[in-house]
Amino acid sequence: MYNVLFVIWLITYLVGAVWYVLYLMHMFQQNSYKPREYGEWMAVHTNVGRLLGKCLYAIISFFLVLLANIEYPAVMIAACLLNGMTILVNKPHKAKKPLVYTKRVKRMLLTTGFLYLVAILAALCVGYCGFTTFPSVEFPWNDLVMWQMWSVSLALLAMFILQPFLILLANLINHPIEKGIDQYYINDAARLLREMPNLKVIGVTGSYGKTSVKYFLNTLLSSQYNVLYTPGNFNTTLGVVRTIRENMKPFHEIFICEMGAREVGDIKEICDLVHPDYGVITSIGPQHLQSFHTIENIISTKFELADAVPETGKVFLNYDNSYIKEHKIEKSVVSYGTAEKNVDFQAYDIEVSARGSSFKMQDENGVVHDFHTKLVGSHNVQNIAGAIAVAHTLGIPMEKLIYPVKQLESVPHRLQLVRQGDRIILDDAYNSNKNGFEAALDTLAMFKELRILMTPGMVELGEKQYDENKEVGVYAADKCDYAVLVGKEQTKPIQDGLLEAGFPQGKMILVDSLQEAFQMVNAIPNEKQKVILIENDLPDNYA
């Protein structure tokens, strides 16, 4: 009877362990496979509690198994039921960005399984040694099978508790293999680029705005050139490599390469691969301070792109950004902006409405051109101005850019205007910086409908996280009629900022999830049509 129950316990325990491993692997992937960022994620107090919660039933289950070794079947059944709770707690749930079973993930899972196998085999050996060492101990469970069962359950408990660190161990074991595979792909991508000596490469980076500028550039330049650009969020070295190897064709004339960074040296690594002829730096701000630590590190990292541009190339800089304007470089600079007048390309006389935006720009001959776009928001105009500056410098006349600007589409989840029945959604879910947040609030403020802010706040701001969030709370106070804040504790700084600025507490709604947020928005009385600004949607490792 006991042996059968132990087998059931072992199977249910391992199922819970598998779900737990998959959860942690998902978090490791969400943290870009970077051990330091994953370690920082584990150290956050809310995540420490979450991880303990995922282990709690397994720990209790182990001690019940230990007690059941004195042959109490009812206790063993209770242990199996606790394993069922472990399975429920760790069972994968619907994620915003599910775990992608890449070849790297599969290799790590295989290594993790190997570590479990080693632990179980070692436990069986320990059980055998214990039995042979203490053969005369008079306990009811003192036989070889019972010794080994106890040893295996102890080993599995240790593995379960240490699993967050076993993910790091599996990554460390696989590191030489992964590094060799990555280098092979990088070398192959470099070879493909060498075979296209006439290809012009445009690097685009910035704390925010880089993805929008990339898409805008593609639309404008495609009116005259064959263009390839890095899709979606393929802005890491391996994302760029994949784009080149899978999509680069001999007929391409321009490659627009978005360059993301979370640590010093990330931009340089991409530049060493693609060797950009031109560089665009859209913005610099205190984003990812948790990994960069200082704003100076962010500035130097973004300007790694400018350092890589040759003397024959040009660097396009957004002079509306003080960090960029004040950082002097010994390269040929083309400046652009909206607020800053002393620039090479300025968008001015900007008019923004719910139907879109219009603005004027002058060419080098002083001829004024009128531009119209269906995109809303002054920061969109700023990004379009940067794209126009690049396209015109690369030989496309201003008048030929008027129609492509009209054709520009909203970048998904970046202040994307979506009409949804009787309400309007301003989807800015991918934004997570103060400047973009405030620009989105400015756009929300222009609507005459019922204005609703929905946000979990901003993250990865290090020591500035409280202050930055409180400041946007103050800024939002007169820009919205209702504030729906996702996460009672996480949004505390925004709550403090709103209240400090005199926002009515009765119109501040605190919820635990995005789904609940929409339910509360639906419950707000329909005084008039609703406009909902969704500002930042945190990834699963913050859920």
Side-chain angles (χ1 to χ4, degrees), residues 279-395:
V280 186
I281 303 179
T282 62
S283 59
I284 291 177
Q287 194 172 16
H288 301 312
L289 266 176
Q290 190 171 318
S291 54
F292 277 113
H293 302 296
T294 67
I295 190 68
E296 288 74 24
N297 284 341
I298 297 174
I299 294 170
S300 64
T301 301
K302 300 307 178 187
F303 273 90
E304 287 171 2
L305 172 56
D307 295 338
V309 171
E311 297 298 326
T312 54
K314 294 183 183 298
V315 182
F316 298 84
L317 301 178
N318 173 16
Y319 269 21
D320 285 347
N321 185 282
S322 59
Y323 292 117
I324 294 175
K325 183 181 178 182
E326 292 167 7
H327 190 87
K328 303 304 179 184
I329 57 173
E330 298 297 325
K331 293 290 172 72
S332 178
V333 171
V334 177
S335 57
Y336 68 91
T338 55
E340 182 65 35
K341 294 182 178 180
N342 188 27
V343 292
D344 299 307
F345 291 86
Q346 184 199 10
Y348 60 97
D349 286 354
I350 301 170
E351 295 183 7
V352 179
S353 69
R355 292 175 297 177
S357 308
S358 63
F359 58 95
K360 300 179 185 296
M361 288 187 78
Q362 273 188 13
D363 61 22
E364 66 276 12
N365 299 317
V367 178
V368 177
H369 301 271
D370 293 307
F371 290 92
H372 302 269
T373 175
K374 55 187 137 182
L375 307 185
V376 296
S378 56
H379 66 297
N380 268 325
V381 173
Q382 183 185 81
N383 291 329
I384 293 170
I388 290 173
V390 177
H392 185 60
T393 302
L394 266 62

Side-chain angles (χ1 to χ4, degrees), residues 446-459:
M446 77 185 185
F447 286 87
K448 296 178 181 178
E449 292 81 359
L450 188 68
R451 305 163 302 175
I452 302 170
L453 168 65
M454 184 188 298
T455 184
M458 302 175 292
V459 296

Side-chain angles (χ1 to χ4, degrees), residues 226-238:
N226 287 312
V227 180
L228 173 67
Y229 66 96
T230 50
N233 288 324
F234 279 39
N235 57 15
T236 64
T237 300
L238 294 181

Side-chain angles (χ1 to χ4, degrees), residues 170-191:
N171 182 67
L172 181 63
I173 292 170
N174 287 8
H175 180 70
I177 298 172
E178 300 299 337
K179 187 174 181 181
I181 293 171
D182 291 348
Q183 194 58 53
Y184 169 79
Y185 290 140
I186 290 170
N187 292 342
D188 190 49
R191 174 188 61 80

Side-chain angles (χ1 to χ4, degrees), residues 4-16 65 76 80 83 120 149 152-153 156:
V4 172
L5 288 174
F6 182 83
V7 171
I8 295 172
W9 178 86
L10 182 62
I11 292 172
T12 53
Y13 197 97
L14 288 174
V15 171
V65 169
M76 198 69 192
C80 293
N83 286 347
I120 291 172
M149 285 181 177
V152 167
S153 58
L156 289 176

Side-chain angles (χ1 to χ4, degrees), residues 28-83:
F28 190 61
Q29 188 177 73
Q30 290 273 300
N31 284 284
S32 305
Y33 302 110
K34 294 190 175 181
R36 190 181 77 176
E37 292 186 16
Y38 173 76
E40 290 173 347
W41 170 81
M42 283 197 299
V44 175
H45 71 280
T46 52
N47 292 332
V48 171
R50 183 180 291 119
L51 293 176
L52 287 174
K54 288 179 175 291
C55 293
L56 181 61
Y57 295 112
I59 294 171
I60 299 172
S61 174
F62 164 76
F63 284 107
L64 288 183
V65 169
L66 184 60
L67 179 62
N69 276 326
I70 314 176
E71 297 183 343
Y72 291 123
V75 178
M76 198 69 192
I77 292 171
C80 293
L81 292 175
L82 282 170
N83 286 347

